[in-house]
Amino acid sequence: MNRVGRVERTTKETSVLVEIDLDGTGQVDVSTGVGFYDHMLDQLGRHGLFDLTVKTDGDLHIDTHHTIEDTALALGAAFKQALGDKVGIRRFGNCSVPLDETLAEVTVDLSGRPYLVHSEPENIAPMIGTYDTTMTRHILESFVAQAQVALHVHVPYGRNAHHIVEAQFKALARALRYASERDARAEGILPSTKGAL
Ligand SMILES: [Mn+2]
């Protein structure tokens, strides 16, 4: 069974297309018009081993906010769709990623319940190119709301803004990959005592 998700989301502010294959090889084709964000989504696909297509046409004449947020919402929805019934997956995943002076730690539960806990160093540079660094938490909030996962993301230390954001996306990719992968010992088993996820 193919574990793919496809979401098209169009508003007066943005038009977004996201396609994801959870069992891919990290083939990524991303264009949002926000260079650094493209770089982050590239990390997500590459290190998650997801095949990921993202095409966003947003109101960049205002700023990059709607473009970034709406892409994250569509990504979350596509991820949830691709997970399907969650039978046979690992469900939980975690990964710590160092990027030079920065450490990012991500833990996820594909629980069906949206919850985000997030911390990162304060006073990091406000902008990376046209990417507003306060959007990182907003991206995670948006993804979590649509993917319906519990996600804890912490950066206990770091200095460079590019490193601080990139380490989070790399660790997120690996944690999502591990949690969503099929567990060879759990074929046909839903990883919940409640009978639903
Ligand atoms: Mn917003």
Side-chain angles (χ1 to χ4, degrees), residues 66-129:
H66 301 137
T67 295
I68 292 172
E69 176 176 2
D70 293 358
T71 299
L73 288 167
L75 182 65
F79 184 78
K80 181 177 187 294
Q81 196 185 105
L83 277 176
D85 62 12
K86 301 180 185 172
V87 170
I89 66 167
R90 290 200 182 102
R91 177 180 168 179
F92 304 99
N94 70 287
C95 187
S96 294
V97 166
L99 207 174
D100 295 349
E101 87 294 345
T102 295
L103 183 72
E105 302 171 323
V106 172
T107 306
V108 66
D109 177 7
L110 308 181
S111 59
R113 298 188 306 276
Y115 205 101
L116 175 70
V117 180
H118 180 253
S119 70
E120 64 184 357
E122 294 182 6
N123 304 319
I124 68 173
M127 299 295 294
I128 305 168

Short mmCIF file of all heavy atoms in Angstrom, two decimals, residues 66-129:
data_model
loop_
_atom_site.label_atom_id
_atom_site.label_comp_id
_atom_site.label_asym_id
_atom_site.label_seq_id
_atom_site.Cartn_x
_atom_site.Cartn_y
_atom_site.Cartn_z
N HIS A 66 2.31 34.34 5.36
CA HIS A 66 1.25 33.44 4.89
C HIS A 66 1.82 32.29 4.07
O HIS A 66 1.34 31.15 4.16
CB HIS A 66 0.24 34.22 4.02
CG HIS A 66 -0.41 35.36 4.73
ND1 HIS A 66 -0.61 36.59 4.13
CD2 HIS A 66 -0.88 35.48 6.00
CE1 HIS A 66 -1.18 37.40 5.00
NE2 HIS A 66 -1.36 36.76 6.13
N THR A 67 2.83 32.59 3.29
CA THR A 67 3.46 31.56 2.45
C THR A 67 4.05 30.45 3.31
O THR A 67 3.85 29.26 3.05
CB THR A 67 4.57 32.21 1.59
OG1 THR A 67 3.95 33.13 0.68
CG2 THR A 67 5.35 31.18 0.81
N ILE A 68 4.76 30.86 4.36
CA ILE A 68 5.40 29.88 5.25
C ILE A 68 4.37 29.10 6.04
O ILE A 68 4.39 27.86 6.10
CB ILE A 68 6.40 30.60 6.18
CG1 ILE A 68 7.58 31.15 5.37
CG2 ILE A 68 6.87 29.67 7.29
CD1 ILE A 68 8.52 32.04 6.16
N GLU A 69 3.42 29.82 6.64
CA GLU A 69 2.42 29.18 7.50
C GLU A 69 1.52 28.22 6.71
O GLU A 69 1.30 27.08 7.13
CB GLU A 69 1.56 30.26 8.17
CG GLU A 69 0.43 29.68 9.01
CD GLU A 69 -0.36 30.75 9.74
OE1 GLU A 69 -0.06 31.94 9.57
OE2 GLU A 69 -1.28 30.37 10.49
N ASP A 70 1.02 28.66 5.58
CA ASP A 70 0.07 27.84 4.83
C ASP A 70 0.74 26.60 4.25
O ASP A 70 0.12 25.54 4.11
CB ASP A 70 -0.59 28.67 3.72
CG ASP A 70 -1.50 29.76 4.30
OD1 ASP A 70 -1.63 29.83 5.54
OD2 ASP A 70 -2.05 30.55 3.51
N THR A 71 2.01 26.73 3.91
CA THR A 71 2.77 25.56 3.45
C THR A 71 2.89 24.53 4.57
O THR A 71 2.72 23.33 4.35
CB THR A 71 4.16 25.99 2.97
OG1 THR A 71 4.02 26.91 1.88
CG2 THR A 71 4.99 24.79 2.51
N ALA A 72 3.15 25.01 5.78
CA ALA A 72 3.27 24.11 6.93
C ALA A 72 1.94 23.42 7.24
O ALA A 72 1.92 22.24 7.60
CB ALA A 72 3.77 24.88 8.15
N LEU A 73 0.84 24.15 7.10
CA LEU A 73 -0.49 23.55 7.32
C LEU A 73 -0.75 22.43 6.31
O LEU A 73 -1.20 21.34 6.67
CB LEU A 73 -1.58 24.63 7.19
CG LEU A 73 -1.66 25.65 8.32
CD1 LEU A 73 -2.57 26.82 7.91
CD2 LEU A 73 -2.19 25.01 9.61
N ALA A 74 -0.44 22.70 5.05
CA ALA A 74 -0.66 21.70 4.00
C ALA A 74 0.26 20.50 4.18
O ALA A 74 -0.14 19.35 3.96
CB ALA A 74 -0.46 22.33 2.63
N LEU A 75 1.47 20.77 4.61
CA LEU A 75 2.43 19.69 4.87
C LEU A 75 1.92 18.78 5.98
O LEU A 75 1.98 17.54 5.88
CB LEU A 75 3.79 20.28 5.24
CG LEU A 75 4.91 19.29 5.50
CD1 LEU A 75 5.26 18.51 4.24
CD2 LEU A 75 6.15 20.02 6.03
N GLY A 76 1.41 19.38 7.04
CA GLY A 76 0.86 18.59 8.14
C GLY A 76 -0.32 17.74 7.70
O GLY A 76 -0.43 16.57 8.06
N ALA A 77 -1.19 18.32 6.90
CA ALA A 77 -2.37 17.60 6.41
C ALA A 77 -1.95 16.44 5.49
O ALA A 77 -2.51 15.34 5.56
CB ALA A 77 -3.30 18.56 5.67
N ALA A 78 -0.96 16.70 4.65
CA ALA A 78 -0.49 15.65 3.73
C ALA A 78 0.19 14.52 4.49
O ALA A 78 0.04 13.34 4.16
CB ALA A 78 0.48 16.25 2.71
N PHE A 79 0.93 14.88 5.53
CA PHE A 79 1.61 13.87 6.35
C PHE A 79 0.58 12.97 7.03
O PHE A 79 0.71 11.73 7.04
CB PHE A 79 2.50 14.56 7.39
CG PHE A 79 3.31 13.62 8.22
CD1 PHE A 79 4.47 13.03 7.73
CD2 PHE A 79 2.91 13.31 9.51
CE1 PHE A 79 5.21 12.15 8.50
CE2 PHE A 79 3.65 12.44 10.30
CZ PHE A 79 4.80 11.85 9.79
N LYS A 80 -0.46 13.57 7.59
CA LYS A 80 -1.52 12.80 8.26
C LYS A 80 -2.21 11.86 7.27
O LYS A 80 -2.45 10.69 7.57
CB LYS A 80 -2.55 13.74 8.88
CG LYS A 80 -3.67 13.02 9.62
CD LYS A 80 -4.60 14.02 10.28
CE LYS A 80 -5.61 13.29 11.18
NZ LYS A 80 -6.54 12.46 10.39
N GLN A 81 -2.50 12.40 6.08
CA GLN A 81 -3.14 11.60 5.05
C GLN A 81 -2.27 10.40 4.68
O GLN A 81 -2.74 9.27 4.55
CB GLN A 81 -3.36 12.49 3.82
CG GLN A 81 -4.33 11.98 2.80
CD GLN A 81 -4.36 12.92 1.58
OE1 GLN A 81 -3.81 12.61 0.54
NE2 GLN A 81 -4.98 14.08 1.75
N ALA A 82 -0.98 10.64 4.55
CA ALA A 82 -0.05 9.58 4.14
C ALA A 82 0.07 8.50 5.21
O ALA A 82 0.28 7.33 4.89
CB ALA A 82 1.32 10.18 3.84
N LEU A 83 -0.05 8.88 6.47
CA LEU A 83 0.06 7.90 7.56
C LEU A 83 -1.06 6.87 7.52
O LEU A 83 -0.88 5.73 7.98
CB LEU A 83 0.03 8.61 8.91
CG LEU A 83 1.32 9.20 9.44
CD1 LEU A 83 1.04 9.94 10.74
CD2 LEU A 83 2.39 8.14 9.64
N GLY A 84 -2.20 7.30 7.01
CA GLY A 84 -3.33 6.38 6.88
C GLY A 84 -3.79 5.84 8.22
O GLY A 84 -3.92 6.60 9.19
N ASP A 85 -3.97 4.51 8.31
CA ASP A 85 -4.54 3.92 9.54
C ASP A 85 -3.49 3.68 10.63
O ASP A 85 -3.82 3.25 11.72
CB ASP A 85 -5.27 2.62 9.22
CG ASP A 85 -4.35 1.55 8.63
OD1 ASP A 85 -3.10 1.70 8.68
OD2 ASP A 85 -4.88 0.55 8.12
N LYS A 86 -2.21 3.95 10.32
CA LYS A 86 -1.11 3.85 11.29
C LYS A 86 -0.83 2.42 11.77
O LYS A 86 -0.06 2.22 12.72
CB LYS A 86 -1.34 4.77 12.50
CG LYS A 86 -1.47 6.24 12.14
CD LYS A 86 -1.68 7.08 13.38
CE LYS A 86 -1.93 8.54 13.01
NZ LYS A 86 -2.33 9.35 14.17
N VAL A 87 -1.45 1.45 11.14
CA VAL A 87 -1.19 0.05 11.52
C VAL A 87 0.24 -0.32 11.14
O VAL A 87 0.68 -0.06 10.02
CB VAL A 87 -2.19 -0.90 10.84
CG1 VAL A 87 -1.78 -2.36 11.03
CG2 VAL A 87 -3.60 -0.67 11.38
N GLY A 88 0.97 -0.90 12.10
CA GLY A 88 2.31 -1.41 11.83
C GLY A 88 3.43 -0.39 11.90
O GLY A 88 4.58 -0.73 11.62
N ILE A 89 3.12 0.83 12.29
CA ILE A 89 4.18 1.84 12.40
C ILE A 89 4.78 1.83 13.82
O ILE A 89 4.23 1.22 14.73
CB ILE A 89 3.69 3.27 12.07
CG1 ILE A 89 2.68 3.77 13.11
CG2 ILE A 89 3.13 3.33 10.66
CD1 ILE A 89 2.40 5.26 13.02
N ARG A 90 5.90 2.54 13.96
CA ARG A 90 6.55 2.60 15.28
C ARG A 90 5.84 3.57 16.22
O ARG A 90 5.89 3.43 17.42
CB ARG A 90 8.00 3.05 15.11
CG ARG A 90 8.87 2.00 14.45
CD ARG A 90 10.33 2.30 14.76
NE ARG A 90 11.20 1.35 14.11
CZ ARG A 90 11.88 1.62 13.00
NH1 ARG A 90 11.81 2.81 12.45
NH2 ARG A 90 12.65 0.71 12.45
N ARG A 91 5.25 4.61 15.69
CA ARG A 91 4.48 5.64 16.41
C ARG A 91 5.36 6.68 17.11
O ARG A 91 5.11 7.86 16.99
CB ARG A 91 3.52 5.00 17.43
CG ARG A 91 2.77 6.06 18.22
CD ARG A 91 1.80 5.46 19.24
NE ARG A 91 1.31 6.48 20.16
CZ ARG A 91 0.45 6.26 21.13
NH1 ARG A 91 -0.05 5.05 21.31
NH2 ARG A 91 0.07 7.25 21.91
N PHE A 92 6.33 6.26 17.89
CA PHE A 92 7.20 7.20 18.60
C PHE A 92 8.53 7.35 17.87
O PHE A 92 9.03 6.38 17.28
CB PHE A 92 7.48 6.73 20.03
CG PHE A 92 6.25 6.48 20.85
CD1 PHE A 92 5.76 5.20 21.01
CD2 PHE A 92 5.57 7.54 21.44
CE1 PHE A 92 4.62 4.96 21.76
CE2 PHE A 92 4.43 7.32 22.19
CZ PHE A 92 3.95 6.02 22.35
N GLY A 93 9.10 8.54 17.95
CA GLY A 93 10.41 8.73 17.36
C GLY A 93 11.14 9.86 18.04
O GLY A 93 10.51 10.80 18.54
N ASN A 94 12.45 9.76 18.10
CA ASN A 94 13.21 10.89 18.64
C ASN A 94 14.59 10.93 17.99
O ASN A 94 15.11 9.91 17.53
CB ASN A 94 13.33 10.83 20.16
CG ASN A 94 14.23 9.72 20.61
OD1 ASN A 94 13.88 8.56 20.54
ND2 ASN A 94 15.42 10.08 21.05
N CYS A 95 15.14 12.11 17.96
CA CYS A 95 16.46 12.27 17.37
C CYS A 95 17.11 13.55 17.90
O CYS A 95 16.46 14.57 18.06
CB CYS A 95 16.35 12.36 15.84
SG CYS A 95 17.95 12.36 15.03
N SER A 96 18.38 13.45 18.19
CA SER A 96 19.19 14.62 18.54
C SER A 96 20.16 14.88 17.41
O SER A 96 20.82 13.95 16.95
CB SER A 96 19.97 14.38 19.83
OG SER A 96 19.09 14.25 20.92
N VAL A 97 20.24 16.11 16.99
CA VAL A 97 21.14 16.48 15.89
C VAL A 97 22.02 17.65 16.31
O VAL A 97 21.51 18.72 16.67
CB VAL A 97 20.34 16.86 14.63
CG1 VAL A 97 21.24 17.55 13.61
CG2 VAL A 97 19.70 15.64 14.01
N PRO A 98 23.34 17.47 16.28
CA PRO A 98 24.22 18.62 16.48
C PRO A 98 24.53 19.28 15.13
O PRO A 98 24.65 18.59 14.12
CB PRO A 98 25.49 17.97 17.04
CG PRO A 98 25.53 16.62 16.42
CD PRO A 98 24.10 16.22 16.11
N LEU A 99 24.59 20.58 15.14
CA LEU A 99 25.07 21.28 13.95
C LEU A 99 26.12 22.27 14.45
O LEU A 99 25.78 23.32 15.00
CB LEU A 99 23.90 21.99 13.23
CG LEU A 99 24.07 22.19 11.71
CD1 LEU A 99 22.80 22.77 11.10
CD2 LEU A 99 25.26 23.05 11.37
N ASP A 100 27.35 21.87 14.36
CA ASP A 100 28.45 22.65 14.94
C ASP A 100 28.15 23.00 16.40
O ASP A 100 28.05 22.11 17.21
CB ASP A 100 28.75 23.90 14.09
CG ASP A 100 29.26 23.51 12.70
OD1 ASP A 100 29.57 22.32 12.50
OD2 ASP A 100 29.32 24.38 11.83
N GLU A 101 27.95 24.28 16.71
CA GLU A 101 27.79 24.69 18.12
C GLU A 101 26.38 24.47 18.67
O GLU A 101 26.14 24.66 19.86
CB GLU A 101 28.16 26.17 18.26
CG GLU A 101 27.04 27.18 18.01
CD GLU A 101 26.53 27.23 16.57
OE1 GLU A 101 27.20 26.69 15.68
OE2 GLU A 101 25.45 27.80 16.36
N THR A 102 25.45 24.05 17.78
CA THR A 102 24.03 23.95 18.15
C THR A 102 23.60 22.50 18.34
O THR A 102 24.04 21.62 17.60
CB THR A 102 23.16 24.59 17.04
OG1 THR A 102 23.45 25.98 16.96
CG2 THR A 102 21.68 24.39 17.30
N LEU A 103 22.69 22.27 19.31
CA LEU A 103 22.08 20.95 19.46
C LEU A 103 20.57 21.09 19.38
O LEU A 103 19.99 21.99 20.02
CB LEU A 103 22.45 20.33 20.81
CG LEU A 103 21.90 18.91 21.02
CD1 LEU A 103 22.64 17.90 20.14
CD2 LEU A 103 21.98 18.50 22.48
N ALA A 104 19.91 20.22 18.60
CA ALA A 104 18.44 20.18 18.56
C ALA A 104 17.99 18.78 18.94
O ALA A 104 18.56 17.79 18.49
CB ALA A 104 17.94 20.53 17.17
N GLU A 105 16.95 18.73 19.77
CA GLU A 105 16.39 17.46 20.25
C GLU A 105 14.90 17.43 19.93
O GLU A 105 14.16 18.34 20.34
CB GLU A 105 16.60 17.35 21.76
CG GLU A 105 18.06 17.44 22.17
CD GLU A 105 18.26 17.55 23.67
OE1 GLU A 105 17.45 18.22 24.34
OE2 GLU A 105 19.24 16.97 24.16
N VAL A 106 14.48 16.41 19.21
CA VAL A 106 13.08 16.30 18.80
C VAL A 106 12.51 14.95 19.20
O VAL A 106 13.15 13.91 18.96
CB VAL A 106 12.93 16.49 17.27
CG1 VAL A 106 11.50 16.19 16.82
CG2 VAL A 106 13.34 17.91 16.86
N THR A 107 11.34 14.97 19.81
CA THR A 107 10.62 13.75 20.15
C THR A 107 9.19 13.86 19.64
O THR A 107 8.56 14.91 19.82
CB THR A 107 10.61 13.53 21.68
OG1 THR A 107 11.95 13.59 22.15
CG2 THR A 107 10.01 12.18 22.03
N VAL A 108 8.70 12.82 19.01
CA VAL A 108 7.35 12.88 18.42
C VAL A 108 6.56 11.64 18.76
O VAL A 108 7.10 10.54 18.90
CB VAL A 108 7.44 13.08 16.88
CG1 VAL A 108 8.05 11.87 16.18
CG2 VAL A 108 6.08 13.41 16.29
N ASP A 109 5.25 11.83 18.94
CA ASP A 109 4.29 10.75 19.09
C ASP A 109 3.20 10.99 18.04
O ASP A 109 2.54 12.03 18.08
CB ASP A 109 3.69 10.77 20.51
CG ASP A 109 2.62 9.69 20.70
OD1 ASP A 109 2.43 8.85 19.81
OD2 ASP A 109 1.98 9.71 21.78
N LEU A 110 3.04 10.04 17.13
CA LEU A 110 2.01 10.18 16.09
C LEU A 110 0.68 9.76 16.70
O LEU A 110 0.08 8.75 16.35
CB LEU A 110 2.37 9.32 14.87
CG LEU A 110 3.79 9.56 14.32
CD1 LEU A 110 4.04 8.68 13.10
CD2 LEU A 110 3.98 11.03 13.97
N SER A 111 0.24 10.58 17.64
CA SER A 111 -0.79 10.20 18.61
C SER A 111 -2.22 10.49 18.16
O SER A 111 -3.15 9.98 18.76
CB SER A 111 -0.54 11.00 19.90
OG SER A 111 -0.60 12.39 19.61
N GLY A 112 -2.39 11.33 17.15
CA GLY A 112 -3.74 11.77 16.80
C GLY A 112 -4.16 12.99 17.59
O GLY A 112 -5.26 13.52 17.38
N ARG A 113 -3.31 13.43 18.51
CA ARG A 113 -3.63 14.60 19.33
C ARG A 113 -2.57 15.67 19.11
O ARG A 113 -1.38 15.43 19.32
CB ARG A 113 -3.67 14.23 20.82
CG ARG A 113 -4.73 13.21 21.17
CD ARG A 113 -4.84 13.05 22.69
NE ARG A 113 -3.54 12.74 23.30
CZ ARG A 113 -3.03 11.52 23.38
NH1 ARG A 113 -3.70 10.50 22.91
NH2 ARG A 113 -1.86 11.32 23.94
N PRO A 114 -2.99 16.86 18.68
CA PRO A 114 -2.02 17.92 18.42
C PRO A 114 -1.50 18.56 19.71
O PRO A 114 -2.30 18.99 20.56
CB PRO A 114 -2.81 18.94 17.59
CG PRO A 114 -4.24 18.70 17.94
CD PRO A 114 -4.38 17.26 18.33
N TYR A 115 -0.19 18.59 19.88
CA TYR A 115 0.41 19.29 21.03
C TYR A 115 1.86 19.63 20.68
O TYR A 115 2.61 18.77 20.22
CB TYR A 115 0.36 18.43 22.29
CG TYR A 115 0.39 19.27 23.55
CD1 TYR A 115 -0.79 19.53 24.25
CD2 TYR A 115 1.58 19.85 24.01
CE1 TYR A 115 -0.78 20.32 25.39
CE2 TYR A 115 1.59 20.65 25.13
CZ TYR A 115 0.41 20.88 25.82
OH TYR A 115 0.42 21.67 26.93
N LEU A 116 2.22 20.88 20.91
CA LEU A 116 3.60 21.29 20.66
C LEU A 116 4.24 21.84 21.92
O LEU A 116 3.65 22.66 22.62
CB LEU A 116 3.65 22.39 19.58
CG LEU A 116 5.07 22.96 19.33
CD1 LEU A 116 5.97 21.94 18.65
CD2 LEU A 116 5.00 24.25 18.52
N VAL A 117 5.43 21.37 22.22
CA VAL A 117 6.28 22.00 23.24
C VAL A 117 7.57 22.41 22.52
O VAL A 117 8.19 21.59 21.85
CB VAL A 117 6.61 21.01 24.38
CG1 VAL A 117 7.49 21.70 25.43
CG2 VAL A 117 5.33 20.50 25.03
N HIS A 118 7.93 23.67 22.63
CA HIS A 118 9.05 24.19 21.84
C HIS A 118 9.88 25.16 22.65
O HIS A 118 9.34 26.03 23.33
CB HIS A 118 8.50 24.90 20.59
CG HIS A 118 9.58 25.47 19.70
ND1 HIS A 118 9.84 26.81 19.61
CD2 HIS A 118 10.46 24.85 18.88
CE1 HIS A 118 10.84 27.00 18.75
NE2 HIS A 118 11.23 25.84 18.29
N SER A 119 11.19 25.00 22.59
CA SER A 119 12.07 26.01 23.18
C SER A 119 13.32 26.11 22.33
O SER A 119 13.80 25.12 21.79
CB SER A 119 12.42 25.66 24.63
OG SER A 119 13.27 24.54 24.67
N GLU A 120 13.81 27.31 22.21
CA GLU A 120 15.05 27.56 21.48
C GLU A 120 15.69 28.80 22.11
O GLU A 120 15.02 29.54 22.82
CB GLU A 120 14.79 27.76 19.98
CG GLU A 120 13.95 28.98 19.68
CD GLU A 120 13.59 29.13 18.19
OE1 GLU A 120 14.04 28.33 17.36
OE2 GLU A 120 12.85 30.08 17.89
N PRO A 121 16.96 29.02 21.86
CA PRO A 121 17.62 30.19 22.45
C PRO A 121 16.91 31.48 22.06
O PRO A 121 16.45 31.62 20.93
CB PRO A 121 19.02 30.14 21.84
CG PRO A 121 19.25 28.71 21.50
CD PRO A 121 17.90 28.19 21.08
N GLU A 122 16.78 32.38 23.02
CA GLU A 122 16.21 33.68 22.70
C GLU A 122 17.33 34.56 22.15
O GLU A 122 18.50 34.22 22.22
CB GLU A 122 15.58 34.29 23.96
CG GLU A 122 14.38 33.46 24.39
CD GLU A 122 13.67 34.02 25.61
OE1 GLU A 122 14.04 35.12 26.07
OE2 GLU A 122 12.76 33.32 26.10
N ASN A 123 16.91 35.64 21.56
CA ASN A 123 17.86 36.62 21.03
C ASN A 123 18.69 36.08 19.86
O ASN A 123 19.82 36.50 19.65
CB ASN A 123 18.81 37.13 22.11
CG ASN A 123 18.05 37.72 23.28
OD1 ASN A 123 17.05 38.42 23.07
ND2 ASN A 123 18.47 37.43 24.48
N ILE A 124 18.13 35.11 19.11
CA ILE A 124 18.82 34.73 17.87
C ILE A 124 18.49 35.79 16.82
O ILE A 124 17.56 36.56 16.96
CB ILE A 124 18.42 33.31 17.39
CG1 ILE A 124 16.98 33.24 16.91
CG2 ILE A 124 18.69 32.30 18.47
CD1 ILE A 124 16.63 31.90 16.26
N ALA A 125 19.32 35.83 15.78
CA ALA A 125 19.12 36.83 14.73
C ALA A 125 17.68 36.75 14.21
O ALA A 125 17.16 35.66 14.00
CB ALA A 125 20.09 36.59 13.58
N PRO A 126 17.01 37.90 14.02
CA PRO A 126 15.59 37.88 13.65
C PRO A 126 15.31 37.39 12.23
O PRO A 126 14.24 36.86 11.97
CB PRO A 126 15.15 39.34 13.81
CG PRO A 126 16.40 40.14 13.78
CD PRO A 126 17.48 39.27 14.31
N MET A 127 16.25 37.55 11.33
CA MET A 127 16.00 37.18 9.93
C MET A 127 17.14 36.31 9.39
O MET A 127 18.31 36.53 9.71
CB MET A 127 15.89 38.42 9.04
CG MET A 127 14.77 39.40 9.39
SD MET A 127 13.09 38.72 9.17
CE MET A 127 13.04 38.50 7.38
N ILE A 128 16.75 35.34 8.56
CA ILE A 128 17.73 34.58 7.76
C ILE A 128 17.27 34.75 6.31
O ILE A 128 16.29 34.14 5.89
CB ILE A 128 17.74 33.08 8.13
CG1 ILE A 128 17.99 32.90 9.63
CG2 ILE A 128 18.81 32.35 7.32
CD1 ILE A 128 17.74 31.48 10.13
N GLY A 129 17.91 35.60 5.57
CA GLY A 129 17.37 35.98 4.26
C GLY A 129 16.00 36.62 4.47
O GLY A 129 15.85 37.54 5.27
#
